[in-house]
Amino acid sequence: RLLNRELRTKAYESKPLLQKVIGAPVSYHGIHTSSLLYCKVPSEIKPPEKKQVELADDSFMKRLYKKVFSGVPKSKLKATGYILLTYCSQQQSLEHFFKTFDMPDTFYSWFLVTELHVWMLSCRLMHEEEYGRITRNSMVEALWKDCEMRAKSLADIPSSLRSKQILSLSEEFQAALFIYDEGILGGDKELANALWRRFFLCMREQEENQVPDMEKVALLVNYVRATMKMLDNTDAASLLIRPSIQWVPLETSFHAIANE
């Protein structure tokens, strides 16, 4: 009896400490004096949590759900990249570019014009995050396939030499992206310098002591500015879902910038 009375007294004294440790009131009658086990009586009884219904990992419904609600399919984005390349290489007025900027009628001149439009369109596509990145990569892939086909039709040269020349073009293309990016981030002087270094000097690389025609350089600067503004105002659906681009005419690019 004395032992039981002493244990009960210690249990009453330790009640505040148990409440602090356990975080819930402790029942005096929850003490079993023989084994000293304490039973916790919760202040609130929480209802059992409802388990969310989940589909099996390898179920047909889950695969169908992912296919329907996973956004734009990657195959669609890759096809869009090939379509956009046709706008860069065929839909723009190539002959008008040759005539306006006094460009020789060569494969390399076509590549310079196409490269400029691919770069402008790539800048716009990168605003669409992952979808834009996939589309841009597909467009660049289509560019090299187009170069391969055009090179085969223009001259009968060994495939090894043709591949070497296209590899050289790809290295120039990577450098041109950095040059144009640096120019567009600056003012008109920086953009004019980038266009002069890549577009005008490269078309007549063999000619020495070239003097820039400032009217033509200014015209191309205004064209790039007007085209970039047009692409920025183009919604994503017109680029990724229903590709459709109307390039700014060279004649109106100067007036479009001057009227702002």
Side-chain angles (χ1 to χ4, degrees), residues 230-245:
M230 179 271 296
L231 291 174
D232 288 340
N233 295 330
T234 304
D235 61 301
S238 299
L239 294 175
L240 302 177
I241 309 301
R242 300 179 303 275
S244 178
I245 299 176

Side-chain angles (χ1 to χ4, degrees), residues 128-147:
E128 303 303 327
E129 299 180 351
E130 184 66 16
Y131 288 165
R133 185 188 64 83
I134 296 175
T135 306
R136 181 207 60 182
N137 293 346
S138 178
M139 180 174 61
V140 175
E141 177 185 337
L143 172 64
W144 301 127
K145 290 187 177 181
D146 194 2
C147 289

Side-chain angles (χ1 to χ4, degrees), residues 115-160:
E115 175 189 73
L116 179 62
H117 289 79
V118 168
W119 165 72
M120 291 189 290
L121 196 51
S122 297
C123 292
R124 173 61 183 86
L125 288 173
M126 292 309 295
H127 289 287
E128 303 303 327
E129 299 180 351
E130 184 66 16
Y131 288 165
R133 185 188 64 83
I134 296 175
T135 306
R136 181 207 60 182
N137 293 346
S138 178
M139 180 174 61
V140 175
E141 177 185 337
L143 172 64
W144 301 127
K145 290 187 177 181
D146 194 2
C147 289
E148 180 78 18
M149 294 179 61
R150 290 174 184 268
K152 288 181 180 180
S153 61
L154 287 175
D156 186 12
I157 58 177
S159 59
S160 58

Side-chain angles (χ1 to χ4, degrees), residues 10-24 26:
K10 290 184 178 180
Y12 279 99
E13 292 176 354
S14 62
K15 176 190 173 185
L17 180 61
L18 290 174
Q19 288 182 348
K20 184 176 180 181
V21 174
I22 299 177
V26 178

Side-chain angles (χ1 to χ4, degrees), residues 42-59:
S43 59
E44 296 181 0
I45 300 177
K46 298 182 180 180
E49 297 181 357
K50 296 181 179 180
K51 295 183 179 180
Q52 296 181 353
V53 179
E54 297 182 355
L55 298 175
D57 293 335
D58 194 22
S59 65

Side-chain angles (χ1 to χ4, degrees), residues 104-252:
D105 188 4
T106 61
F107 171 85
Y108 193 64
S109 295
W110 166 84
F111 181 79
L112 290 175
V113 176
T114 303
E115 175 189 73
L116 179 62
H117 289 79
V118 168
W119 165 72
M120 291 189 290
L121 196 51
S122 297
C123 292
R124 173 61 183 86
L125 288 173
M126 292 309 295
H127 289 287
E128 303 303 327
E129 299 180 351
E130 184 66 16
Y131 288 165
R133 185 188 64 83
I134 296 175
T135 306
R136 181 207 60 182
N137 293 346
S138 178
M139 180 174 61
V140 175
E141 177 185 337
L143 172 64
W144 301 127
K145 290 187 177 181
D146 194 2
C147 289
E148 180 78 18
M149 294 179 61
R150 290 174 184 268
K152 288 181 180 180
S153 61
L154 287 175
D156 186 12
I157 58 177
S159 59
S160 58
L161 179 59
R162 183 172 59 250
S163 300
K164 184 178 180 180
Q165 292 176 347
I166 293 179
L167 178 61
S168 177
L169 281 179
S170 67
E171 294 175 353
E172 292 185 24
F173 176 77
Q174 296 296 330
L177 296 182
F178 285 103
I179 294 174
Y180 286 148
D181 285 344
E182 183 181 6
I184 198 66
L185 292 176
D188 288 345
K189 291 182 180 180
E190 289 76 12
L191 181 57
N193 181 49
L195 292 171
W196 170 252
R197 288 164 56 195
R198 175 56 185 165
F199 190 86
F200 291 97
L201 280 180
C202 290
M203 76 171 69
R204 300 181 183 277
E205 189 176 3
Q206 297 179 353
E207 298 182 9
E208 299 180 357
N209 300 324
Q210 296 188 47
V211 178
D213 189 337
M214 298 311 300
E215 292 185 358
K216 294 180 180 179
V217 174
L219 177 60
L220 190 56
V221 168
N222 292 329
Y223 174 77
V224 171
R225 294 289 188 192
T227 303
M228 294 292 280
K229 180 181 178 181
M230 179 271 296
L231 291 174
D232 288 340
N233 295 330
T234 304
D235 61 301
S238 299
L239 294 175
L240 302 177
I241 309 301
R242 300 179 303 275
S244 178
I245 299 176
Q246 293 292 335
W247 298 109
V248 178
L250 278 172
E251 297 84 357
T252 60

